Amino acid sequence: MPSAIHSHRPTTKVQPKTFKSRKTTKGALRDQAKGKVPNEKGLRKTPHQQVMSKIDRRNQAKQRQQTKYKEHQKETSVFSGRDSAPRIVAVVPLCADVNVSAAIKSLNSSLDIESELGETSSRVSVDRFKQKLQYVPVERDLAVSMDAARVADFIVFVLSSEVEVDSLGELIIRSIENQGMSTLFTVVQDLDKIEPAKARPDVVKSLASFMTHFHPGQEKVYSLDSRQECANLMRSLCTTTPKGINWRDQRSWMLVDDVKWPSAEGESTVLTGVVRGKGLKADRLVHVGDWGTFQIEKITAAPLSTKKRKDDVMAVDNTEAEKVLETPTEDQDNLAELAPEEVMMDDVEGDIKEPTSQKGVLLDDHHYFSEEEPEEYTRPKKLPKGTSNYQSAWFLDDVSDSEDEEDDQEMKDAQDIGIPAAPEDGMEGIAANEPTEAAMSEYPRSEVFVEPNEDDDAAQLEAYRASKRDEAEEDMEFPDEIELPPNVIARERLLKYRGLKSLRTSPWNTEEDRPHQPEEWSRLLQISNYQSSKNHAIQEALVGGVAPGTRVHIHLKGVSKDLEKSYTPSRPVTLFSLLRHENKKTSLNFDITHKEDYEKSIKAKEELIVQCGPRRFVINPLFSLGGSTENDVHKYCRYLHPSQSAIASFMGPITWGAVPTLFFKRTIPEEGDEGTGLPLQLVATGTARAPSTSRVIAKRVILTGHPYHIHKKVVTIRYMFFNREDVEWFKALPLWTKRGRTGYIKESLGTHGYFKANFDGRINPQDSVGVSLYKRVWPRTAVPFSGPLLDAGAAGSQGEVMDVE
């Protein structure tokens, strides 16, 4: 074979590499466009959608910067100037060995500020940053800490380097966080006592990790033993713009510096402080701490003492007369919570109807088998024209005196009138042919129903319900199921209940609820358009009133003398101006979420303490499912289980806006429990929703029965009712099974409550048959809360509210 011939590659014929550019050239773009020039201005319709030039973009960015700067100046203007408002700093201890006074002294000494500190709030002037600080020392108490945090611009949590945060400290952290808080700082005390010194950074890291669990942004923990870190914290307190709280900034509020009690009966109580938030109006009501809601008599100026530069002597100008800033007008809100009773009587006097006797349960908006319906259909007779009803009784069916074909035609037309459906006619209103042996029958084999022995029937019922309890505990598929004793008459026990073909779409007849509604229900505040009313109330607070940053005397009317005995100067007193209508009662709804750290379920109608904005109430809420339905009917929930959410409803004064809400529950620590041991726990949190008096909370009960005999689609059912009258009363209700079959009651069998039912398909012998009944439940009235939250003596003072069907 010839050897392989070796040849070199012809390098002269190699094509050079193509040009690769990072960016396409203008020529390449022209080639790709193929002469088409895009008209960008034609594609963009509005000026904002058109392509802006570089100068326009710079101008727009400059305008945004100026707008943001003006907003910042407006937010901080209350802190600037000679007579500016002080920055409120709430110092909250989280550990048992924390000394609040020493912590404030360490902060002041870092800037060489000397001031006397007492138990009440103290004001200091920081000349280096030309700002004023007002410290609010807080006791290690839940209610005091929450009240101080509500009106604070800055919150300082004080930790200990030796003692861990206990259950009370964690409760304070969670409560302040969920009610809404402004800018937060964290400090540690007595860090120099940690030996050796190498362990101190590890302690700080551990405390920072603990705080980031609750507040992820708290990565820095300041040491009060370091003068430099205290100075840095003071710089942050004086220069940082506080975040604020949304619901608080929509209202006028104030931290009360001084309280002057009346010396005579005709005098008013005077509260002194600096107005914050929106402008304070004398026409609006004010809510003071746990004291209650009051009317304003007048608002007067209360300037601080000024120092004269010439003589360097502190002097107060007392010669000037009292300067009145604002007085109430005819538009002043009153303290009435409900509408006048005369108006309520005029509205409902003609609407209440006397109850009439009915033969069956209410299904949707109709009583089936009632006395108002014709019991039997009478066929029209052939009668002479002009015959009266009395004369028609004397004519037989086969007699006619008609001589005219038109009269005969009229009689035929009368016979063609639609016949109303009778109970035995079925859903279509057409009676089926009675079964015979020769024709096709629904019951191919005739069976005789044998009445069971009473003793045997009772024993079988007890065994059936015992096995069913085990199944309910494992599956929990029927939470609304009830079991009636055999000696209880179901139609009397469930007289207020009704049936619904669909819980979401069936109409709810409100006329049946009138006799059972609370007396004050018709006098509650009716809100047709919540969003519009809320916007109007909030926008109304933007204009007028005493300007924020002004120190004023607020004269209140009708303050009880008993409050003077319970007043403690060391506890902060807060004042919030209420928006229009916020003192009027209505049916309130709140989104409620079960807290993960509370392991037990919360029972409906159980006593809880709720805090919504500046007010606290004792409530017995109703829980219901959320969402939007066509008929505004929502299912009632007997329990709020862990990690579940629902709607909590009760009657109380309205609060405009999405205000955060806290739910507390008094508990008795069990023996050997390794839990917190506190008499109060934060069990749920929520947000205020739109109130509504037309929202129906429907409580459902389910009566179940057992398939006793099954023949194709015809089933004999027992253990649902125990007498024939109950079967006839609930005959109109639709039946359903756990596996999705639907049916209806055909006829009653015997006297022990057995009945035959038709279903849309063959059912399983292991299936359960049920009917759903609904009753409207009404929210309960909230009671204003007063006193300390962590009062061990109050725990268990009121037992659980019984869930009455």
Side-chain angles (χ1 to χ4, degrees), residues 238-392:
C238 294
T239 59
T240 303
T241 303
K243 293 189 305 182
I245 306 173
N246 186 26
W247 68 266
R248 183 186 71 179
D249 296 339
Q250 293 175 349
R251 297 160 175 82
S252 178
W253 54 275
M254 184 178 73
L255 174 63
V256 178
D257 297 335
D258 185 31
V259 180
K260 182 180 179 182
W261 298 98
S263 57
E265 293 184 358
E267 297 180 358
S268 58
T269 305
V270 183
L271 305 183
T272 306
V274 180
V275 179
R276 297 290 304 276
K278 297 294 184 290
L280 180 61
K281 297 182 179 181
D283 289 337
R284 302 284 83 84
L285 301 175
V286 292
H287 186 84
V288 183
D290 292 335
W291 298 2
T293 305
F294 307 97
Q295 286 181 319
I296 297 178
E297 183 178 345
K298 60 181 177 180
I299 302 174
T300 59
L304 287 173
S305 59
T306 57
K307 180 184 290 187
K308 294 184 179 180
R309 294 183 179 179
K310 294 181 179 179
D311 302 331
D312 291 336
V313 177
M314 297 294 291
V316 181
D317 192 3
N318 296 326
T319 59
E320 294 185 3
E322 189 179 59
K323 183 179 180 181
V324 179
L325 299 179
E326 188 164 336
T327 56
T329 62
E330 297 179 355
D331 194 30
Q332 185 180 19
D333 296 337
N334 55 21
L335 296 174
E337 296 180 347
L338 299 172
E341 190 172 358
E342 293 80 6
V343 177
M344 183 270 297
M345 293 301 295
D346 293 342
D347 293 342
V348 303
E349 185 177 0
D351 296 337
I352 297 178
K353 299 180 181 179
E354 295 183 0
T356 57
S357 59
Q358 306 293 345
K359 283 187 176 182
V361 66
L362 177 66
L363 180 60
D364 289 351
D365 56 350
H366 187 68
H367 278 280
Y368 291 88
F369 320 130
S370 63
E371 294 179 352
E372 300 175 357
E373 297 181 356
E375 296 184 359
E376 60 180 356
Y377 172 74
T378 57
R379 190 179 60 180
K381 299 179 181 180
K382 295 181 179 180
L383 300 174
K385 193 173 184 180
T387 306
S388 64
N389 294 332
Y390 175 76
Q391 294 172 344
S392 63

Side-chain angles (χ1 to χ4, degrees), residues 200-215:
R200 295 172 188 172
D202 296 335
V203 173
V204 174
K205 289 182 181 179
S206 176
L207 295 176
S209 175
F210 172 78
M211 289 304 301
T212 52
H213 174 70
F214 299 97
H215 302 279

Side-chain angles (χ1 to χ4, degrees), residues 58 77 131 302 341 358 417 470 590 688 724 748 778 800:
R58 283 182 178 178
S77 61
Q131 292 291 324
E341 190 172 358
Q358 306 293 345
I417 298 176
D470 297 338
F590 293 85
R724 185 184 186 90
S748 176
W778 306 90
E800 293 184 356

Side-chain angles (χ1 to χ4, degrees), residues 414-429:
Q415 293 179 5
D416 294 338
I417 298 176
I419 302 175
E424 63 271 15
D425 292 340
M427 298 299 294
E428 294 80 12

